[in-house]
């Protein structure tokens, strides 16, 4: 228990595993395993452990509270509510169970009861920030915005670094179309907590979006990076601002710095792949998507993008492209972009009937996308179905949307029309 308190959860689990073998019916062992696992982000293992704890120690209020927490995470609010009530009956004054009960009631629409519960608990625990935050959320659920704002500001006076409260205040101001007040409040909070990188990120986002102050936003983000170099959001926002300024090279540098500092942040590799593709560096784009797949095998967006780049490379490995496209298709079978990629690879492999099937499915999902009609036209043309290809290309060009392969579509349509004229003797 001391190791868990010190966040040394792996060491705690090593001891608990031995205890479980020696005392397989001791419920407290399983409960502590549940705590250690959830601290490590191993939700399913924690859920399994707490169920074992209750099997061996029915009615244990701490185990019931942990189970109620899991049920709430699973959005089983009725079960979470009843389990939290059981925990409270077994241990009156159990604040954690009370908060879970109130949150479950809020999600079930029993908001008035939740507010009464939170207000009653706040009378006894007036400086519990988690309780105050949930009380504010309950006020928001019934439109009591002034009460919510008062509660959130009271919370920040108790704990100036309670970041979710600042996010909630900012969101409230933006809902009321008052970006200036949002900026003012974040500036004031940053004066109270001058080294808080999260407040710098919030203010930078507001300044770049609502005040056209991109330069000040970049200064804030640079300072945030000094204080918290492992926060991916800093690099992402910096890159987004550079993109708004048309500085793609600087955006790439930001994502490169992000992937070096936080190599397992998959969003950095995905964004880097997209930008490298945009500037024509296909090799680096493929490397970025490959890295994303190393981090998360089977990640559909990375598999799809890499499949597309391979299929369009100078010497394409169409077998590998097909493998990746099938991985993406299995994960997201309804996605028209993925379906289009798979169809295009079938087209490149000369499997035209398979290509027709995929392109048709993609068009059914997004008939407004001209590139899908163009790709269908390509496959029909390659299969010698000139009239059908002509129709598909005309549909692509009739849509009032520019697309990267528009000029190719125009040339292919002209070629088909010229061939038809020559054949007819015109």
């Amino acid at each position: 228990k001391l190791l868990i308190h010190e966040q040394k959860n792996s060491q705690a689990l090593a001891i608990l595993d031995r205890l479980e073998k020696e005392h397989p019916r001791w419920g407290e062992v399983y409960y502590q395993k549940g705590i250690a696992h959830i601290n490590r982000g191993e939700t399913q293992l924690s859920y399994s452990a707490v169920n074992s704890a209750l099997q061996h120690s029915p009615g244990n209020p701490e185990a019931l509270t942990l189970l109620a927490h899991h049920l709430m995470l699973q959005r089983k609010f009725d079960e979470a509510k009843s389990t939290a009530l059981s925990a409270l009956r077994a241990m009156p004054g159990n604040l954690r169970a009370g908060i879970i009960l109130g949150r479950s009631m809020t999600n079930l629409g029993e908001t008035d009861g939740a507010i009464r519960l939170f207000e009653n608990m706040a009378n006894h625990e007036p400086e519990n920030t988690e309780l105050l935050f949930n009380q504010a959320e309950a006020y928001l659920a019934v439109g009591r915005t002034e009460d919510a704002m008062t509660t959130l500001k009271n919370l920040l006076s108790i704990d100036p670094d309670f970041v979710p409260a600042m996010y909630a205040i900012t969101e409230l101001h933006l809902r009321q179309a008052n970006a200036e007040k949002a900026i003012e409040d974040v500036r004031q909070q940053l004066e109270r907590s001058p080294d808080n990188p999260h407040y710098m990120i919030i203010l930078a986002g507001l300044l770049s979006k609502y005040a056209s102050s991109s330069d000040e936003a970049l200064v804030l983000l640079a300072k945030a990076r000094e204080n918290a170099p492992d926060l991916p959001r800093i690099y992402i926002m910096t890159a987004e601002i550079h993109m708004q300024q048309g500085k793609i090279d600087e955006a790439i540098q930001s994502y490169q710095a992000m992937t070096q500092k936080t190599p397992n942040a998959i969003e950095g590799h995905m964004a880097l792949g997209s930008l490298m593709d945009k500037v024509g560096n296909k090799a680096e784009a493929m490397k970025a998507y490959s890295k994303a797949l190393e981090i998360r095998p089977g990640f559909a967006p990375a598999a799809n993008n890499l499949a597309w780049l391979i299929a369009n490379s100078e010497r394409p490995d169409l077998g590998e492209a097909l493998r990746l496209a099938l991985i993406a298709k299995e994960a997201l079978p309804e996605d028209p972009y993925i379906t289009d990629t798979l169809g295009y690879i079938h087209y490149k492999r000369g499997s035209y009937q398979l290509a027709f099937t995929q392109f048709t499915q993609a068009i059914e999902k997004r008939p407004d996308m001209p590139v899908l009609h163009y790709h269908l036209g390509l496959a029909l043309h390659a299969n010698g179905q000139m009239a059908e290809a002509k129709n598909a290309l005309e549909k692509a060009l009739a849509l009032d949307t520019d697309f990267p392969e528009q000029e190719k579509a125009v040339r292919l349509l002209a070629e088909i029309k010229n061939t038809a004229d020559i054949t007819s003797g015109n």
Side-chain angles (χ1 to χ4, degrees):
K1 288 169 75 171
L2 286 169
L3 288 168
I4 289 171
H5 181 72
E6 295 169 2
Q7 289 297 312
K8 298 176 181 177
N9 297 290
S10 298
Q11 292 171 257
L13 283 167
I15 296 170
L16 291 165
D17 285 340
R18 293 200 303 273
L19 283 171
E20 182 184 345
K21 291 177 182 176
E22 295 167 8
H23 306 280
R25 296 183 181 178
W26 189 4
E28 180 68 12
V29 172
Y30 297 100
Y31 168 67
Q32 295 299 333
K33 288 187 76 171
I35 295 294
H37 280 305
I38 203 165
N39 287 347
R40 283 161 51 101
E42 298 164 344
T43 312
Q44 192 56 46
L45 289 172
S46 175
Y47 181 60
S48 175
V50 76
N51 276 298
S52 296
L54 288 166
Q55 180 183 347
H56 297 292
S57 300
N60 180 330
E62 292 178 321
L64 284 168
T65 303
L66 180 55
L67 177 60
H69 175 73
H70 277 291
L71 292 168
M72 189 175 62
L73 290 177
Q74 296 168 15
R75 305 191 65 78
K76 296 177 180 178
F77 298 118
D78 278 318
E79 294 177 53
K81 175 186 170 183
S82 62
T83 305
L85 276 169
S86 297
L88 278 169
R89 290 192 188 102
M91 184 191 289
N94 182 339
L95 186 66
R96 185 86 208 111
I99 290 173
I100 294 169
L101 174 59
R103 289 181 65 183
S104 299
M105 291 171 71
T106 301
N107 280 285
L108 289 167
E110 301 169 11
T111 320
D112 291 340
I115 288 172
R116 286 195 298 272
L117 176 64
F118 286 133
E119 288 177 341
N120 183 48
M121 288 193 293
N123 288 334
H124 298 283
E125 296 280 346
E127 295 197 351
N128 186 293
T129 52
E130 184 185 6
L131 172 56
L132 290 172
F133 185 70
N134 281 284
Q135 184 179 341
E137 287 198 319
Y139 286 142
L140 287 173
V142 292
R144 290 171 59 177
T145 53
E146 289 186 14
D147 289 331
M149 185 68 80
T150 300
T151 304
L152 290 166
K153 290 195 171 183
N154 177 36
L155 188 166
L156 284 173
S157 70
I158 297 165
D159 181 0
D161 289 309
F162 196 97
V163 176
M166 194 70 254
Y167 272 112
I169 288 171
T170 303
E171 182 61 30
L172 264 175
H173 286 313
L174 293 179
R175 279 190 210 167
Q176 297 166 351
N178 197 346
E180 288 184 10
K181 183 58 177 169
I183 290 170
E184 179 188 333
D185 278 3
V186 182
R187 283 195 192 279
Q188 289 178 356
Q189 198 61 32
L190 196 51
E191 288 175 6
R192 299 186 190 105
S193 301
D195 295 323
N196 190 310
H198 298 283
Y199 294 156
M200 297 175 200
I201 292 169
I202 296 171
L203 183 55
L206 291 169
L207 290 171
S208 65
K209 187 171 183 180
Y210 297 102
S212 301
S213 300
S214 297
D215 290 339
E216 184 183 354
L218 288 170
V219 170
L220 280 163
L221 291 168
K223 186 176 179 183
R225 181 174 168 181
E226 289 175 10
N227 293 345
D230 293 331
L231 280 179
R233 185 65 193 148
I234 295 169
Y235 302 92
I236 293 170
M237 190 177 289
T238 301
E240 287 173 347
I241 293 172
H242 283 313
M243 286 293 291
Q244 291 166 12
Q245 296 174 329
K247 299 177 179 178
I248 295 179
D249 288 342
E250 286 85 345
I252 288 172
Q253 288 169 13
S254 183
Y255 282 122
Q256 286 173 330
M258 175 183 170
T259 56
Q260 289 167 9
K261 196 66 187 175
T262 54
N264 288 327
I266 196 167
E267 62 267 42
H269 297 285
M270 291 299 295
L272 188 57
S274 176
L275 288 180
M276 286 298 188
D277 186 16
K278 189 181 183 72
V279 298
N281 193 335
K282 307 298 183 184
E284 287 299 316
M286 286 193 277
K287 190 184 297 183
Y289 292 135
S290 295
K291 182 62 180 177
L293 284 169
E294 283 180 27
I295 298 166
R296 194 184 303 173
F299 184 52
N304 177 69
N305 294 358
L306 183 55
W308 179 261
L309 288 173
I310 290 172
N312 284 284
S313 60
E314 190 173 335
R315 294 181 180 176
D317 182 347
L318 294 175
E320 176 63 6
L322 180 62
R323 183 186 73 82
L324 290 164
L326 288 169
I327 288 172
K329 178 76 171 178
E330 183 178 358
L332 296 173
E334 301 300 318
D335 188 297
Y337 297 94
I338 289 172
T339 304
D340 177 53
T341 298
L342 181 57
Y344 187 76
I345 293 166
H346 283 315
Y347 154 71
K348 294 275 284 189
R349 286 166 60 91
S351 303
Y352 301 125
Q353 294 300 324
L354 293 173
F356 299 154
T357 301
Q358 298 302 319
F359 291 141
T360 302
Q361 287 178 8
I363 289 168
E364 285 174 357
K365 297 290 181 186
R366 289 293 305 272
D368 60 315
M369 284 180 61
V371 69
L372 303 180
H373 298 279
Y374 168 64
H375 288 162
L376 177 59
L378 276 180
L380 289 165
H381 175 261
N383 201 43
Q385 297 173 245
M386 298 304 169
E388 293 90 341
K390 177 174 172 291
N391 288 337
L393 293 167
E394 286 175 342
K395 283 182 183 177
L397 295 169
L399 290 166
D400 190 20
T401 308
D402 291 335
F403 60 104
E405 295 155 304
Q406 194 167 22
E407 289 185 11
K408 293 180 181 178
V410 169
R411 288 199 299 270
L412 182 57
L413 181 59
E415 179 188 323
I416 290 171
K417 287 180 176 179
N418 288 337
T419 302
D421 288 344
I422 292 168
T423 303
S424 63
N426 294 332

